[in-house]
Amino acid sequence: MLIYILKRLLLMIPTLIGALTLTFVIIQFVPGGPVEQLLAEMSAGPDGEGVGRGNARRDVDAKQLAELRALYGFDKPPLERYVSMMKSFATFDLGKSFMRNKDVWGLIKEKLPVSLSLGLWTFLISYLVSIPLGIGKAMKEGSRFDTATTLLVLIGYAIPGFVLGVLLIVLFAGGTFLDWFPLRGLVSDNWAELSWWGRITDYLWHLTLPLICFAIGSLAVVTMLTKNTFVEEIRKQYVLVARAKGLSEKRVLYKHVFRNALIPIVTGFPAAFVGAFFAGSLLIETLFSLDGLGLLSYESLIRRDYPVVLGTLYFFTLIGLVVKLVGDLLYVVVDRRVQFAAVAK
């Protein structure tokens, strides 16, 4: 297994290089850039409205323009910039943001608590609700309970998260009806002054509506996966043999079916967590004023803040590759019949 792990780790290197190279090449053909963005801001009038990039270029002489290009490193040819970027990334140096004048790692760490909170709680809620619900649906397949819960989870899956967010704001966050939940941020302004119990309740109070929007979609996927996996196992021959031996239904379920049916679900834990962690909806973050990694990536793309774009891509890709490896290794943990020795040869 050690050889297999080493091979997988080595394969991460060309994958990272390929993702970064492709993004770097695409960036070279994207119209506009950080220099143009800064010129547009410099040309803005007193009321904050821009007067056009053409006027900006006329207002800035050639020397100033050259200084700006040198400041952002655009006075060098693309190949030299690419090699410099790859050398920096090899030492985990992601550079400094053009627009925010902050280290990219610092920006990621700054936004990480929001994304971590949303991802972790979405993952926990999805699995803690979906697995028992899926098992119950499998045991009562074809019943009214199965039909009703299937309808409910599919309706939740069909509703876009941001649409549900608008509805929840209108109903419960002071929109039109009730004012039960806060509309902005992850914690209140006086959070530091609260007791430890007050901090916990304030934190969960702010998370309630965003988590409903994030978790509602994944509930359907995990629930139906759990149900279908258990139904498939229940219909297998070994279950019929166990029942024929006189074992109780509870013993058959938890000693035989449960262990085998959970293999595809457990091995999907890492990917599901990263999916909830990084695939946060920009619209939901914007609706509830949650300044996470999703909003950071979007703003960086709009403002052509290339160090942040490439840095977050590098971070996401690296985490995704590691999690994929962890998911593969979990197969060995939950099912000893799986061996990687033959794969490593």
Side-chain angles (χ1 to χ4, degrees):
M1 181 183 291
L2 180 60
I3 297 176
Y4 174 80
I5 295 175
L6 290 175
K7 284 188 173 183
R8 288 291 300 271
L9 291 174
L10 290 174
L11 285 173
M12 291 181 185
I13 297 175
T15 305
L16 278 171
I17 293 175
L20 291 171
T21 302
L22 181 61
T23 306
F24 183 85
V25 171
I26 293 174
I27 283 175
Q28 308 310 306
F29 298 97
V30 174
V35 174
E36 286 76 6
Q37 291 285 331
L38 184 59
L39 291 176
E41 293 177 5
M42 292 171 61
S43 66
D47 57 354
E49 296 182 359
V51 295
R53 290 184 177 178
N55 292 335
R57 284 196 171 90
R58 287 194 294 269
D59 294 338
V60 180
D61 60 31
K63 183 179 178 180
Q64 290 174 312
L65 184 60
E67 290 176 351
L68 288 174
R69 294 183 64 83
L71 176 65
Y72 293 141
F74 289 100
D75 57 329
K76 302 175 183 177
L79 182 59
E80 185 177 345
R81 287 188 280 116
Y82 171 76
V83 173
S84 176
M85 178 194 74
M86 297 305 292
K87 286 181 179 178
S88 298
F89 281 14
T91 59
F92 298 98
D93 178 11
L94 303 186
K96 183 176 286 188
S97 168
F98 289 155
M99 302 302 174
R100 301 169 186 260
N101 198 29
K102 290 184 179 179
D103 185 74
V104 175
W105 274 122
L107 285 172
I108 292 176
K109 292 176 183 178
E110 182 182 324
K111 311 300 180 182
L112 204 56
V114 174
S115 296
L116 184 61
S117 295
L118 294 173
L120 179 61
W121 285 110
T122 300
F123 170 78
L124 291 176
I125 291 173
S126 299
Y127 274 85
L128 290 176
V129 173
S130 299
I131 291 179
L133 180 59
I135 295 173
K137 287 171 64 60
M139 299 301 296
K140 299 179 181 180
E141 185 185 15
S143 65
R144 291 182 179 179
F145 170 78
D146 182 30
T147 304
T149 52
T150 298
L151 180 63
L152 287 176
V153 296
L154 290 180
I155 290 175
Y157 182 75
I159 299 175
F162 68 92
V163 174
L164 181 61
V166 173
L167 179 63
L168 292 176
I169 288 173
V170 171
L171 293 177
F172 302 111
T176 302
F177 298 94
L178 304 173
D179 191 11
W180 290 352
F181 296 96
L183 184 58
R184 299 177 58 85
L186 199 60
V187 293
S188 299
D189 294 335
N190 64 335
W191 187 79
E193 303 172 3
L194 301 175
S195 63
W196 67 270
W197 177 249
R199 293 182 181 183
I200 294 174
T201 54
D202 181 75
Y203 168 73
L204 296 176
W205 182 46
H206 281 75
L207 274 179
T208 301
L209 296 186
L211 281 180
I212 292 174
C213 300
F214 277 108
I216 197 71
S218 57
L219 282 175
V221 176
V222 180
T223 299
M224 299 309 295
L225 173 63
T226 304
K227 177 199 169 180
N228 294 335
T229 306
F230 270 81
V231 168
E232 182 181 354
E233 290 294 324
I234 289 171
R235 292 173 179 174
K236 288 185 176 179
Q237 189 69 32
Y238 74 89
V239 176
L240 297 177
V241 173
R243 287 172 174 169
K245 290 181 178 179
L247 297 179
S248 65
E249 195 68 23
K250 185 176 180 180
R251 186 178 178 85
V252 171
L253 175 65
Y254 289 104
K255 186 175 180 179
H256 299 280
V257 176
F258 195 80
R259 181 179 60 185
N260 294 326
L262 279 184
I263 291 175
I265 300 171
V266 171
T267 52
F269 279 0
F273 174 71
V274 171
F277 180 57
F278 291 123
S281 171
L282 168 67
L283 293 175
I284 296 176
E285 288 189 12
T286 304
L287 275 176
F288 294 98
S289 299
L290 299 172
D291 192 9
L293 289 174
L295 192 58
L296 173 66
S297 301
Y298 173 75
E299 290 178 349
S300 302
L301 281 171
I302 294 300
R303 303 187 69 185
R304 305 295 193 269
D305 197 348
Y306 296 143
V308 179
V309 173
L310 291 165
T312 52
L313 173 69
Y314 176 81
F315 179 66
F316 293 163
T317 305
L318 184 61
I319 294 296
L321 291 172
V322 172
V323 165
K324 179 62 177 176
L325 175 59
V326 173
D328 289 344
L329 296 178
L330 278 177
Y331 276 104
V332 179
V333 176
V334 299
D335 189 353
R336 294 296 180 180
R337 296 171 297 178
V338 177
Q339 297 294 330
F340 291 122
V343 179
K345 292 180 180 179

